[in-house]
Amino acid sequence: MQVPEPFDLLLTVRSHGWYDLPPWRWDEARRVLGRPLRLSGARVAYAEVAEGEPGRLAFRAFAQGRLGAAEAREARALLGACLALDEDLGPFQALAAELERRRAAGKGRDLPDLRWALARGAGRLLRSPTVYEDAVKTLCTTNCSWALTRSMVTRLCETLGEPGPLGTRAFPTPEAMAARTERFYRDEIRAGYRAPFLLALARGAADGTLGLEGLRRSPLDTDALGRRISELKGFGPYATEHLLRLLGRHDHLALDSWTRPKLARLRGKRRPPADRTLRRWFAPYGRWAGLAMWLEVTADWHGDAPSWP
C-alpha cells in the first residue's frame, strides 16, 4: 500500500482516540493496526497494515473462505481511507511552513510551533470506514469520560456487531442498530441521554434519509455542511465540529473540556482564554485552523517521551 512521504503510521494511529475503540486493534509491540471490515458483498474481512518499505505499508486481508482479488482491493481501499491516505495535506503543509518562517522571524507571536508536525508529516487523522461509524462514536464521546465512551462502543460491537475472522466483530450496521429500541440503548448499552439520539441516527442512516455517507465528498462549504450535521439529533457545536474534522474539514476548533485547559497550560495561562481568543490564535491557518490547534495540543503525545492520555 503506497503512502505519501513523509508518512508515519504511528502518528496517524495515535492521532486521536479512535484506535482505542473497537473494532480497531492496535498491536503496540508489532506496530500492526487492524480491524474487521464489512465489504460491499456483505462479507466481513479482517484487514491490517504495518510499517513496510519506505513509502509503503505492508497490507494483508483475510476472511472465512477464500478472499477474492476484488474483495482484497476493496479492503485495501477502505483501510487506506481510514488512514486518510486520500487526503491532500499539501496546502496545509505549505501554509504551515510559511507561518513557521514568520514565527521564527519573531512575527506572529500567537502562532503554534508545528516544526515537529512538518518534519514528520503529521496531520492525517484515523477515521472509520463509514461516516455512520464516526457519527455514532462521536455521540459516544459527548459529556463523558473516555472510559465510558469505550464501554459504550465495546457493548455496541459485542451485542450488535457481525462476527468476523479472528474472533472479532464488525461495527454494527445502521440496520442492526435501528432494529433495537430506545430502552435497549439505555439498559444494555448504557448510553444514558444518548439513547434516543443513537436510535434516531441508526434509523435515519438505515432508511437513507440522512445521507451520511455522502457527507465525506459533499460539495457544500464547511459552514453549510456544519449546519447540516448540527441538524442530527444530539449534535451540538462540539459534536458537529468533531465530525467535520473527521470529514477533513478543519475550519473550526471543536473545543471541549479537554482542549481548552490544555491550550491554557501550553500557553502559560492561568485559566482558559475565551473561545474568541483561541480562534484568533489559529485564525492565520484559515481552513486548517482546527488541524493546527489539534497538532499543538497533541504534540506531547508524539515526543521523545510520549504522554498518551
Side-chain angles (χ1 to χ4, degrees), residues 1 22 35 37 88 111 134-135 143 229 241 249 273 295-296 303:
M1 183 185 293
R35 64 166 291 154
L37 296 168
D88 180 12
L111 290 172
D134 278 337
N143 301 311
I229 293 171
E241 293 179 8
R249 306 294 189 102
L295 291 173
E296 179 175 4

Side-chain angles (χ1 to χ4, degrees), residues 205-225:
D207 65 21
T209 56
L210 293 181
L212 291 178
E213 301 314 312
L215 299 183
R216 195 164 278 171
R217 302 288 180 231
S218 174
L220 295 174
D221 64 45
T222 300
D223 287 342
L225 186 59

